[in-house]
Amino acid sequence: MSKSSTSPKVVNKTWSPTVKSWILSSIAAAFVVSGWFFDPYDTLLSTNSYILCSESNNIYTVDEFKPRVECISIMGSTIVDTGSFGTRSITCSLQEAQLELTQTFKAEVTARHLSRNGLSLYLPSWASRIIAPKVFTVDPKSIVVPGLADAHAHILEYGFMMELSLATTSSVEDVIQRVKDYILAHPDVMNDKTRWIEGMGWDQTKWAGAQFPTAADLNKDPLLQGRPISLSRVDVHAKWVSPRVLELMGELPDKVDGGSIIRDADGKPTGIFVDHAMELIPTPEWTEDRMTGFFDTAMRDALAHGLTSIHDAMAFPEHIMFFKQKADEGKLPNRLYLMGHVKSGNYWGAQIPHLIDYGKQGRLNVRSVKLVTDGALGSWGAALIEPYSDKKDFKGLILTPPKELASLVHQFWKDNFQVNIHCIGDYANKVTLDIFEDIIGNYGGNATEWRPRIEHAQVMTLDDLHRLGKLGVLASVQPTHATSDMAYAETRLGPERIKGAYAYQTLLQVSHQNILPLGSDFPVEGINPLLGFYAAIARIYVDGTSPHGTTGWYPNEKLTRAQALKGMTLDAAYAAFAEKEIGSLTPGKKSDFVVFDHDIMTVPFADILKAKVSATVIDGKVVYGAL
């Protein structure tokens, strides 16, 4: 992108004496103005006052009154105007030389921009037109959209996974090779067999046979033998540990409430621990230095992909204090909306502070909590009303008993916390809706003010899909979960139950607020928000295929591009009580926006993921790339 400019044009035109006099006086006065106003104006511009334009009208505002505009005007951290522009040239001949004077008029934007800056108080109208604001124009093929939000993610966990990512592994052997490469690349780990090795991202459903691995698998290679190794499944609802870890754990309980210890035919632990059983594994706590490294990695990658706002879906008290310190230091490069969480069945609201627009930059908010009802579909942990279609004697795991969950939700509501609950299976969703309905119907809960959220809303009965909308409960969904799970989801759920699963268009239509916030659940899925955009509108793999062909998996549940963009901007802002400050390019809101080098709103599906971020802007300042 480059600054806009207008080339002089020679126009053979005879001007009246009045016009000639006006032009000559303007030229003369410009020398005076340059001394009086240009320097202060440059100072004003240094505080982020400028206009961004797209000659192809490719600024998508997500503002229903002006959905597409040519220009937005930025003053400091705020959008002050949006509109269009036009140009004209003025040329005259003098006695001894031809003077070319080209003026560019930004019809809707520039005059109001100057007025807001106060320059119009001191300059005549002709001078205001000459001294126009600094203008940046994007390439005609580019697109400008509001800053993108991820309505469900895990910030520090993303940095953790990137240390040893097991994503894209296609077999146990692949995982072993990744672990070996990690050891060989880290001499401190190589030379100390007591150092824990932790990784994340394996998914047995993508391997031949789709069976859980075992601890013995992590003892086959001499380099791995005797080392404490703990590898989290991609959904973080199961861990796979080495024989050395089993030795350190000692005797294990026969049962774990809300969890499973997978055992072989002889009753011996295989090395797979699901949900609450993972808490038995004695992995070391994260140090502040490690958290800083995780944070830096996540922020770097988030900004590079156009994320300006992130809802962290499980912020433990120590994580909140870490983020709070960053906010105090003015070192939050992104807007963070944290959902507090404590692993306890007893009320823990006193451990979670209320923070609104907190910190030097005003970018940290804590006003919600995250509760967990069940596990994940990929590890058979999602709680179902009827048994799994491929595991006839099992209905999944309830991680928080219904009575305990109800007690917690009621108390958090009384203490003015937004309550966001992880629900995957149809039973988990039913239990949660029962609790929300009780508070809204019998205790005076106002869904519009409280904004309770179901995180995932992944498998629901058709009745509960409509009940959710009627109650005004928000469904916070992750479109890439549909494309990640579509190879096995119907095998798990059967042909009838699948009709209420990953039902994004239905969830949007039943919402009386017309709101469907979208996220990724990174690092469970990729951090690039275009992956979610693509999955939402296409419901196909990145190679263009799906179990139902190239038209997409259950294509009736696709979102339109406009719906998906709104879900990643304004709807996500609403879910965080921030729709008046961010989420659309509307005058009065924060100047958060992203420039992509391809128009994701019009290019073929196959080209969406080719789009790259040219610039990410927060509070009017470029935090990634360049204008």
Side-chain angles (χ1 to χ4, degrees):
M1 290 168 288
S2 61
K3 299 178 186 176
S4 67
S5 60
T6 307
S7 301
K9 297 178 181 179
V10 177
V11 179
N12 295 321
K13 191 173 183 73
T14 301
W15 297 94
S16 69
T18 301
V19 173
K20 288 183 179 180
S21 175
W22 179 87
I23 293 172
L24 290 171
S25 64
S26 298
I27 295 167
F31 289 101
V32 179
V33 172
S34 65
W36 288 358
F37 287 100
F38 282 4
D39 184 60
Y41 188 64
D42 287 343
T43 301
L44 182 64
L45 286 177
S46 70
T47 62
N48 281 353
S49 184
Y50 58 92
I51 294 174
L52 181 73
C53 293
S54 165
E55 294 177 0
S56 53
N57 216 45
N58 270 358
I59 298 179
Y60 290 79
T61 65
V62 194
D63 181 335
E64 61 177 322
F65 300 107
K66 284 187 177 181
R68 288 179 70 178
V69 298
E70 290 179 273
C71 297
I72 56 174
S73 176
I74 309 299
M75 188 179 297
S77 63
T78 306
I79 298 168
V80 295
D81 212 346
T82 63
S84 59
F85 70 89
T87 61
R88 67 170 175 161
S89 297
I90 300 174
T91 305
C92 63
S93 294
L94 300 179
Q95 288 183 345
E96 296 183 359
Q98 183 180 61
L99 170 67
E100 293 181 302
L101 176 63
T102 301
Q103 298 185 41
T104 301
F105 293 85
K106 280 30 176 200
E108 292 188 60
V109 177
T110 303
R112 291 197 293 264
H113 187 105
L114 291 170
S115 176
R116 288 184 177 88
N117 281 336
L119 291 179
S120 61
L121 298 176
Y122 305 101
L123 293 177
S125 60
W126 56 264
S128 294
R129 289 193 293 267
I130 292 174
I131 306 175
K134 184 180 291 186
V135 179
F136 298 96
T137 57
V138 300
D139 186 278
K141 295 180 180 179
S142 296
I143 182 176
V144 181
V145 299
L148 300 179
D150 193 312
H152 185 112
H154 302 276
I155 296 168
L156 298 181
E157 287 78 3
Y158 175 85
F160 164 79
M161 190 190 82
M162 295 307 289
E163 284 194 343
L164 176 51
S165 174
L166 306 175
T168 73
T169 51
S170 58
S171 65
V172 168
E173 290 70 29
D174 276 358
V175 172
I176 292 172
Q177 188 59 53
R178 291 268 183 101
V179 176
K180 287 176 62 177
D181 292 343
Y182 173 81
I183 295 171
L184 293 172
H186 295 79
D188 53 338
V189 178
M190 176 73 176
N191 297 325
D192 184 357
K193 295 189 72 170
T194 67
R195 289 281 297 270
W196 278 78
I197 298 170
E198 298 180 84
M200 177 182 165
W202 59 271
D203 183 354
Q204 87 287 354
T205 68
K206 301 186 184 305
W207 303 346
Q211 299 298 310
F212 274 140
T214 67
D217 292 323
L218 295 176
N219 227 33
K220 293 178 179 177
D221 192 283
L223 188 61
L224 274 58
Q225 289 175 0
R227 297 180 183 272
I229 303 172
S230 176
L231 308 176
S232 297
R233 193 181 182 276
V234 63
D235 56 16
V236 204
H237 283 269
K239 287 187 177 182
W240 167 24
V241 302
S242 64
R244 177 57 182 150
V245 173
L246 291 176
E247 292 175 8
L248 293 172
M249 294 173 73
E251 188 173 349
L252 297 172
D254 293 332
K255 288 185 62 178
V256 177
D257 289 339
S260 295
I261 301 172
I262 305 301
R263 300 176 185 272
D264 62 20
D266 297 324
K268 296 180 179 179
T270 64
I272 296 294
F273 295 79
V274 180
D275 289 312
H276 282 177
M278 296 187 298
E279 296 171 19
L280 300 172
I281 303 169
T283 50
E285 297 289 332
W286 291 346
T287 64
E288 185 172 345
D289 284 346
R290 288 194 76 192
M291 285 195 288
T292 298
F294 299 159
F295 174 78
D296 291 344
T297 297
M299 291 299 99
R300 178 197 68 212
D301 290 358
L303 295 174
H305 287 99
L307 289 174
T308 62
S309 176
I310 301 173
H311 302 190
D312 190 290
M314 188 171 280
F316 296 99
E318 59 270 25
H319 296 176
I320 294 174
M321 294 308 297
F322 173 84
F323 292 128
K324 184 174 180 292
Q325 182 178 337
K326 292 291 183 184
D328 287 333
E329 297 170 351
K331 293 181 179 179
L332 282 185
N334 212 305
R335 301 189 192 281
L336 303 186
Y337 185 78
L338 309 183
M339 307 178 201
H341 180 78
V342 173
K343 293 180 179 179
S344 174
N346 298 317
Y347 183 69
W348 37 266
Q351 298 183 52
I352 308 299
H354 279 82
L355 303 174
I356 307 298
D357 297 333
Y358 180 83
K360 288 184 177 180
Q361 302 150 300
R363 294 179 180 174
L364 180 63
N365 281 275
V366 185
R367 60 185 301 175
S368 68
V369 295
K370 166 76 174 295
L371 303 177
V372 180
T373 306
D374 64 345
L377 191 69
S379 51
W380 292 275
L384 302 179
I385 296 171
E386 298 296 334
Y388 279 86
S389 297
D390 61 347
K391 202 170 186 179
K392 300 293 187 181
D393 60 346
F394 196 63
K395 294 183 180 181
L397 298 170
I398 281 290
L399 306 190
T400 307
K403 287 185 179 179
E404 183 179 295
L405 183 68
S407 176
L408 287 170
V409 175
H410 274 260
Q411 192 59 51
F412 279 118
W413 168 67
K414 290 177 183 177
D415 286 352
N416 201 31
F417 282 101
Q418 179 192 42
V419 178
N420 308 330
I421 305 182
H422 164 111
C423 301
I424 301 292
D426 54 9
Y427 179 73
N429 279 286
K430 179 183 182 304
V431 166
T432 295
L433 285 176
D434 288 346
I435 296 169
F436 286 155
E437 185 172 29
D438 182 43
I439 292 174
I440 293 168
N442 299 322
Y443 291 89
N446 185 313
T448 302
E449 295 176 359
W450 183 27
R451 302 186 189 183
R453 293 167 52 168
I454 289 184
E455 302 299 316
H456 308 306
Q458 197 161 300
V459 184
M460 303 183 75
T461 66
L462 299 182
D463 286 343
D464 278 344
L465 281 170
H466 290 275
R467 181 163 63 131
L468 178 142
K470 183 178 179 180
L471 290 173
V473 174
L474 300 178
S476 171
V477 301
Q478 302 73 45
T480 43
H481 283 350
T483 50
S484 290
D485 297 356
M486 61 186 177
Y488 68 88
E490 192 160 349
T491 301
R492 289 273 195 281
L493 300 172
E496 290 302 315
R497 202 159 31 187
I498 197 68
K499 294 177 182 177
Y502 312 91
Y504 305 140
Q505 186 61 241
T506 298
L507 285 167
L508 181 59
Q509 293 305 316
V510 300
S511 169
H512 67 254
Q513 313 103 318
N514 192 38
I515 289 171
L516 186 70
L518 305 183
S520 70
D521 205 8
F522 74 70
V524 174
E525 306 284 356
I527 197 171
N528 182 358
L530 291 186
L531 291 166
F533 183 81
Y534 174 86
I537 68 173
R539 291 176 75 98
I540 53 179
Y541 296 123
V542 294
D543 66 1
T545 65
S546 83
H548 293 168
T550 57
T551 58
W553 187 58
Y554 291 98
N556 56 305
E557 293 296 348
K558 291 179 181 179
L559 299 179
T560 68
R561 298 190 197 214
Q563 289 170 341
L565 181 62
K566 182 171 175 282
M568 298 166 66
T569 53
L570 191 57
D571 289 358
Y574 180 90
F577 301 89
E579 74 277 9
K580 293 181 180 179
E581 290 81 36
I582 58 175
S584 65
L585 301 179
T586 303
K589 291 190 177 185
K590 296 291 186 181
S591 50
D592 296 1
F593 60 87
V594 184
V595 183
F596 285 102
D597 64 358
H598 286 72
D599 184 355
I600 61 173
M601 302 300 285
T602 60
V603 297
F605 289 157
D607 293 332
I608 289 173
L609 297 179
K610 297 177 183 177
K612 304 297 181 186
V613 172
S614 300
T616 302
V617 176
I618 299 179
D619 283 329
K621 297 181 179 180
V622 177
V623 291
Y624 173 83
L627 292 176

